[in-house]
């Protein structure tokens, strides 16, 4: 058989088509396109394979597939201060004209003066006083009516972007990938449960019932004939440190197979996760990218900023326990969706 | 055209087939076969139609479809005493040989002597002492290891059936029907969250994360290198009365569209449900069937037994508020799956 020029064109066209298809298919198959190849990405892919492939000895029934995520510093930026603290400061500014005494009374004085050094030294009692006037003394619906317009418009100064734009694209991909593989994804945050629920579904695809967080006491009040849950200036549950393991058991009643955090406040959540049988994935985000986001430790010689601390002790425990440390600088191709 | 005998046979066969089909189809279409026709059944069917048919002005998005169910007396039998109390009494009996002082110390003395009159007068402090020795002082896993063998074997004396067989078949049908229509069903119980979770999925098809209940304090303890959540003899959250509205907001973060209860402990849950917009379904089970189950009020002249009280005041509120009262005697064709 004679090979004509026409045959060669056909073959070459077919190769081109197959080639393009092949490439497209590789890109399409990567569930974590914002992750660079490396041990962190490999650990996630191996974990999913181990727990979801029927032939795996570590296969996990879909109903037991639970993955938990800290929020501040794990799912979105927590520097220079937590977004919820920014909301509280905003509320203090709005309310200040009705409270002339705040100009001379701590902790309000320092907030209104923008005295970051003084604010850095606030005690738990100081914070509770700020929470009391900005987060309590109203019904849950009234509170949400204050949060929603703020969270949909307020911008983080350094980026001139909505706070909700400062979500880490690689983590969105992990959550989406886990959900596609049958995992139920939960936020387990030291932040206020009601606050985070106001945007969690829209931003993370996580519905209110999958947000475990800190809360203040609420009181059922039906004195007006229309029941209200009044938010009281009194802490009820602190979902941080040991509270994260406690909160997971109380709200979910199942042990996670995967847990993601970034500080010592997530340590017990990771310990609780790891103490289960089979394949478990424990990961900690290290903020080592001052250029694209922030850099703070003090682990690995990064600056100690006292917000979202990643200590040497935590790094030592991670190494000892086989927890995966995610380097934002090296492991993440993109940090934010708006990054090129 | 002449009609032959053969034609007539054909017609009659077709009619028979259609007839049988028609009947089968009616039976098949009834999602609540254990319910007699009446206002209670009609209310459920109308509610589902209103909230799930796209053309309805009261249509509810699937993600917002939440239905909450009290457990004791609403989903299963609570007489002569709550099943969880029976478990506590069983534990006291098992532990008694190691505690000879209990023979002369209240509240243990009365329980060990089976003195129902004295037990009927137990204070909250008495109950907390019983909870402390039977439900606390151990890790969550150790506790579940005590509950599971008991709940899978212990029998209710009057029926000589497992406690978990005393589930109300009509309520199982309502839960199944609501789930088929996209509702997420939750148990919201005054009972112990950890206790109920040990069997909720198996008995009701409700997974642990959809059980809201009362709880005692748990403490994270990693002193042995294997983390444990230690159950402490101290109440943490009382999911009863106003606590049910508070618990629903805390655990679910969404207002139910339907709520089922049977006592004043469910009143605020129903009020909270009804205070939302659109179609809402509030139902109370009245135990008025001494023959097939139990009869107690004191509403409608039924005996006042002090367990699962349905008061005149609650009945008045139900009438005033348009809540549906389910008469077990009249509305339920079958009560238990084992009923003929």
């Amino acid at each position: 058989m004679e090979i004509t020029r026409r045959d060669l064109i056909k073959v070459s066209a077919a190769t081109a088509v197959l080639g393009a298809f092949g490439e497209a298919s590789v890109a399409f198959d990567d569930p974590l396109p914002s992750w660079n190849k490396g041990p962190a990405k490999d650990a996630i892919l191996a974990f999913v394979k181990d727990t979801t492939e029927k032939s795996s000895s570590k296969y996990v029934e879909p109903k037991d597939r639970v993955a938990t995520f800290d929020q501040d510093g794990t799912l979105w930026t927590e520097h220079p201060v937590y977004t919820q603290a920014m909301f509280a400061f905003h509320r203090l500014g709005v309310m200040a004209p009705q409270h002339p005494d705040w100009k001379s009374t701590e902790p309000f004085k320092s907030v209104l003066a923008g005295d970051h050094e003084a604010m850095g030294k606030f005690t738990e009692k100081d914070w509770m006083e700020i929470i009391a006037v900005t987060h309590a003394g109203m019904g849950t619906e009234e509170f949400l009516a204050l949060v929603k317009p703020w969270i949909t418009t307020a911008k983080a100064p350094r980026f001139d972007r909505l706070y909700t734009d400062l979500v880490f694209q690689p983590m969105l991909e992990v959550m989406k990938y886990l959900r596609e593989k049958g995992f139920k994804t939960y936020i387990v945050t030291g932040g206020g449960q009601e606050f985070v629920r106001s945007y969690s579904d829209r931003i993370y695809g996580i519905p209110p019932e999958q947000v475990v967080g800190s809360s203040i006491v609420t009181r059922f009040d039906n004195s007006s004939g229309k029941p209200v849950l009044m938010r009281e200036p009194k802490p009820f549950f602190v979902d941080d440190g040991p509270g994260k393991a406690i909160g997971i058991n109380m709200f979910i009643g199942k042990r996670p197979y995967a847990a993601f955090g970034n500080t010592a406040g997530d340590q017990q959540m990771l310990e609780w996760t790891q103490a289960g049988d089979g394949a478990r994935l424990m990961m900690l985000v290290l903020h080592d990218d001052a250029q694209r986001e922030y850099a703070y430790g003090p682990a690995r010689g990064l600056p100690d900023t006292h917000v979202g601390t990643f200590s040497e002790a935590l790094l030592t425990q991670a190494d000892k326990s086989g927890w995966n440390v995610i380097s934002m600088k090296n492991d993440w191709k993109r940090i934010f969706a708006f990054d090129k």
Side-chain angles (χ1 to χ4, degrees), chain A:
Chain A
M1 191 182 126
E2 192 196 342
I3 296 170
T4 62
R5 194 163 172 267
R6 196 181 162 125
D7 285 325
L8 282 173
I9 290 169
K10 270 192 202 160
V11 168
S12 121
T15 310
V17 166
L18 278 171
F21 219 78
E23 261 182 44
S25 149
V26 166
F28 186 75
D29 278 344
D30 184 356
L32 304 173
S34 298
W35 291 70
N36 288 317
K37 194 164 167 41
K41 182 173 185 169
D42 288 349
I44 299 167
L45 296 174
F47 166 78
V48 168
K49 198 171 145 68
D50 279 351
T51 52
T52 63
E53 291 194 355
K54 281 248 175 192
S55 59
S56 162
S57 65
K58 294 172 178 171
Y59 177 78
V60 176
E61 291 294 336
K63 71 176 176 59
D64 294 323
R65 294 182 196 159
V66 168
T68 55
F69 297 82
D70 165 57
Q71 182 192 226
D72 294 309
T74 299
L75 293 181
W76 73 353
T77 295
E78 64 186 345
H79 264 225
V81 286
Y82 304 119
T83 299
Q84 193 173 356
M86 292 302 292
F87 167 73
F89 300 160
H90 159 78
R91 288 299 308 155
L92 288 182
V94 170
M95 296 165 80
Q98 278 80 54
H99 301 267
D101 56 306
W102 286 356
K103 272 188 192 154
S104 51
T105 321
E106 290 294 1
F108 311 109
K109 186 183 161 190
S110 294
V111 173
L112 296 176
D115 183 342
H116 291 107
E117 204 186 314
M119 285 157 66
K121 289 173 190 159
F122 276 174
T123 63
E124 216 162 287
K125 190 174 155 283
D126 291 328
W127 283 111
M128 201 56 227
E129 276 191 66
I130 292 170
I131 296 271
V133 300
T134 58
H135 284 63
M138 64 189 101
T140 48
E141 285 168 42
E142 197 183 337
F143 176 66
L144 290 176
L146 295 176
V147 174
K148 285 189 178 176
W150 183 82
I151 196 75
T152 49
T153 56
K155 290 186 170 180
R158 173 175 157 191
F159 297 93
D160 193 30
R161 295 268 182 180
L162 295 177
Y163 288 102
T164 51
D165 285 345
L166 302 186
V167 167
F168 305 142
Q169 179 62 24
M171 294 305 289
L172 289 180
E173 291 169 6
V174 170
M175 291 194 288
K176 183 167 172 282
Y177 180 45
L178 287 171
R179 287 196 291 262
E180 282 168 4
K181 292 295 185 176
F183 280 84
K184 221 163 163 173
T185 53
Y186 287 84
I187 290 174
V188 178
T189 176
Q193 189 170 42
E194 202 89 52
F195 183 85
V196 177
R197 280 173 170 172
S198 75
Y199 56 81
S200 62
D201 205 0
R202 183 168 56 88
I203 306 306
Y204 302 118
I206 293 186
E209 64 270 30
Q210 284 161 234
V211 175
V212 178
S214 297
S215 54
I216 55 178
V217 168
T218 55
R219 178 175 51 80
F220 183 84
D221 179 357
N222 200 6
S223 55
S224 74
K226 183 173 164 58
V228 174
L229 290 173
M230 287 299 295
R231 295 170 58 82
E232 305 279 299
K234 200 178 151 189
F236 177 69
F237 179 61
V238 179
D239 190 58
D240 196 35
K244 290 208 175 185
I246 292 164
I248 285 168
N249 186 62
M250 181 166 63
F251 283 84
I252 311 176
K254 290 173 179 171
R255 193 191 296 265
Y257 277 83
F260 295 74
N262 75 307
T263 70
D266 303 308
Q267 181 187 321
Q268 287 84 355
M269 172 168 75
L270 270 60
E271 288 173 353
W272 184 244
T273 299
Q274 185 161 31
D277 293 335
R280 306 277 166 168
L281 180 68
M282 287 66 60
M283 303 196 91
L284 290 170
V285 175
L286 179 71
H287 294 255
D288 57 358
D289 195 331
Q291 205 174 347
R292 294 186 299 173
E293 202 242 8
Y294 290 97
Y296 48 99
R300 292 193 186 159
L302 295 164
D304 186 357
T305 58
H306 303 288
V307 173
T309 303
F310 195 128
S311 66
E312 278 296 344
L314 184 62
L315 188 62
T316 303
Q317 179 168 6
D319 288 343
K320 198 185 67 186
S321 307
W323 299 348
N324 297 277
V325 175
I326 299 164
S327 158
M328 290 179 80
K329 191 172 178 175
N330 301 321
D331 288 316
W332 289 358
K333 204 175 289 178
R334 279 200 308 178
I335 291 185
F336 304 117
F338 57 78
D339 282 342
K340 297 243 166 49

